Amino acid sequence: MSNIYDVVIIGAGPAGLAAGIYAARAKLSTLILEKDSPGGQIVITEEVANYPGSVENATGPSLVARMLEQCREFGAEQKKEAVISVDFSGKLKKITSSAATYEAKAVIVAAGAIPRKICCPGENDLVGKGVSYCATCDADFFTDLEVFCIGGGDTALEEALYLSKFARKVSIVHRRNEFRAAKSIVDKVLKNPKISIIYDSVVEELKGDGILESLSLRNVKTNELTEYKAAECDGTFGCFVFIGSLPHSELFKDSLKLSDDGYICTDEDMKTNIPGVFAAGDIRVKSLRQVVTAAADGAIAAVQADKYIETAFN
Ligand code: NAP
């Protein structure tokens, strides 16, 4: 098989897989490269209730499995290879993986982003068992329970407002005594009777036997430790972490225009600053990072890649 493709897609989360479906269905020879198993962040989600049309009890893995099947049905190739460098300077773009160098008429970068973690003991073990990085995905599971919301930026405060529609009580934990979030959002939070704020504090430890049961906070000014335990009647509570995210954009920093916080800048057609290079999903600058918006980005990027190839190579 030749190493020259119409489209190479970097990343096999919902954005990359949607791009794969659309590109392959448009009869473009398409290669999807992914360093891990396909799916991206969605595979850690047990229930996907907000993806339009998803079947009852759809899980992240089941949704991804179907997307992969669709990619294959339309003829997209998928390889488990880590991309280690890119060269977007020529008309044919070069993508070097751990196994080979590929050339492509168009590239779709869909390498995603990951939520920044607290990095405290217990966090990794309790993801999906009380610890969450996505209120839109998981708020419903905490209906009438207590939740903690970690962070002081726009996301943390907006998500705290959203969580307050479900939870009995929301406690925002912020490491300073002043929020980074916009004043308009702060004002709404301060007026919300369900939300209380714990300033100058960071999470030291999360504990639980299979489910989150206690959270220890350290006051950064006094070093005092306080342990919050789940109410006996609840048995658990939620800990939602919104302390920023980390885009997988390191490989592209010398060629693509990035925002100050490292996300790829695109226009609404997913075009980057380099003709023939598109970005889709969580890795690009956008306001809502969800499966549905990632899939939409992927579809747009593939259609635009097709149009680009049509004009640039014919
Ligand atoms: P962010 O603005 O980077 O805020 C991250 C928050 O987490 C900050 O309050 C930060 O504290 C805190 N933090 C970072 N590392 C921490 C750690 N290790 N432990 C404890 N706290 C930590 O991230 P974001 O809120 O996700 O927003 C990302 C971007 O999207 C921003 O530009 C934001 O304005 C934008 N956004 C806009 C909207 C909107 O316009 N409606 C909505 C959401 C997001 P410090 O403040 O002390 O640094």
Side-chain angles (χ1 to χ4, degrees):
M1 175 76 66
S2 152
N3 272 2
I4 302 180
Y5 289 83
D6 289 325
V7 182
V8 167
I9 298 167
I10 303 174
L17 294 175
I21 294 167
Y22 275 74
R25 194 156 187 257
K27 307 276 181 231
L28 299 172
S29 60
T30 302
L31 171 67
I32 306 172
L33 296 171
E34 166 63 57
K35 67 177 170 14
D36 300 315
S37 301
Q41 289 185 70
I42 186 70
V43 292
I44 59 165
T45 306
E46 265 313 299
E47 192 181 328
V48 182
N50 58 3
Y51 187 69
S54 58
V55 293
E56 212 180 327
N57 302 325
T59 61
S62 68
L63 205 58
V64 163
R66 181 62 194 130
M67 289 181 188
L68 259 176
E69 228 172 72
Q70 287 172 291
C71 279
R72 287 181 189 133
E73 280 164 17
F74 292 122
E77 248 184 274
Q78 198 243 318
K79 294 186 180 178
K80 187 172 178 175
E81 290 172 22
V83 173
I84 51 176
S85 68
V86 292
D87 177 356
F88 294 154
S89 57
K91 195 172 172 192
L92 275 179
K93 317 297 176 206
K94 289 193 174 72
I95 303 99
T96 301
S97 79
S98 43
T101 292
Y102 303 97
E103 289 185 298
K105 294 177 184 168
V107 175
I108 298 174
V109 178
I114 45 164
R116 181 179 282 134
K117 293 194 164 191
I118 305 170
C119 298
C120 70
E123 182 180 18
N124 287 343
D125 294 340
L126 292 162
V127 174
K129 297 164 184 163
V131 175
S132 171
Y133 304 89
C134 176
T136 315
C137 320
D138 295 334
D140 189 35
F141 303 129
F142 295 91
T143 300
D144 295 330
L145 296 177
E146 289 194 32
V147 302
F148 288 80
C149 193
I150 319 301
D154 287 325
T155 306
L157 270 63
E158 282 193 345
E159 300 303 288
L161 288 166
Y162 180 71
L163 284 162
S164 73
K165 295 178 188 169
F166 299 81
R168 186 169 76 226
K169 181 182 174 200
V170 178
S171 302
I172 296 176
V173 178
H174 181 35
R175 65 181 175 183
R176 291 186 293 137
N177 62 1
E178 204 183 337
F179 287 117
R180 176 180 294 274
K183 191 175 176 310
S184 55
I185 306 175
V186 175
D187 287 346
K188 278 192 202 162
V189 161
L190 296 177
K191 280 188 201 139
N192 188 312
K194 277 187 167 182
I195 302 179
S196 63
I197 296 152
I198 304 170
Y199 291 108
D200 298 319
S201 296
V202 292
V203 179
E204 279 288 290
E205 188 171 8
L206 295 159
K207 283 196 240 169
D209 188 8
I211 191 149
L212 180 61
E213 288 161 346
S214 96
L215 165 152
S216 297
L217 295 182
R218 180 172 58 83
N219 183 301
V220 293
K221 289 192 168 153
T222 63
N223 265 334
E224 188 188 347
L225 283 176
T226 309
E227 187 176 12
Y228 292 84
K229 289 194 171 158
E232 217 165 279
C233 55
D234 299 334
T236 189
F237 58 89
C239 177
F240 285 80
V241 182
F242 304 112
I243 57 173
S245 59
L246 304 169
H248 282 143
S249 59
E250 184 63 23
L251 277 181
F252 313 104
K253 69 177 188 328
D254 295 330
S255 46
L256 300 183
K257 183 168 184 273
L258 305 183
S259 64
D260 289 346
D261 47 358
Y263 292 90
I264 298 174
C265 301
T266 69
D267 67 7
E268 64 177 23
D269 285 335
M270 310 301 140
K271 292 175 183 165
T272 67
N273 54 307
I274 296 186
V277 180
F278 303 82
D282 286 5
I283 198 165
R284 75 179 189 96
V285 175
K286 64 193 298 192
S287 60
L288 182 64
R289 295 195 166 87
Q290 292 281 291
V291 185
V292 66
T293 59
D297 283 3
I300 293 168
V303 169
Q304 291 300 328
D306 190 17
K307 285 188 180 161
Y308 166 80
I309 292 168
E310 193 66 36
T311 43
F313 287 86
N314 288 319

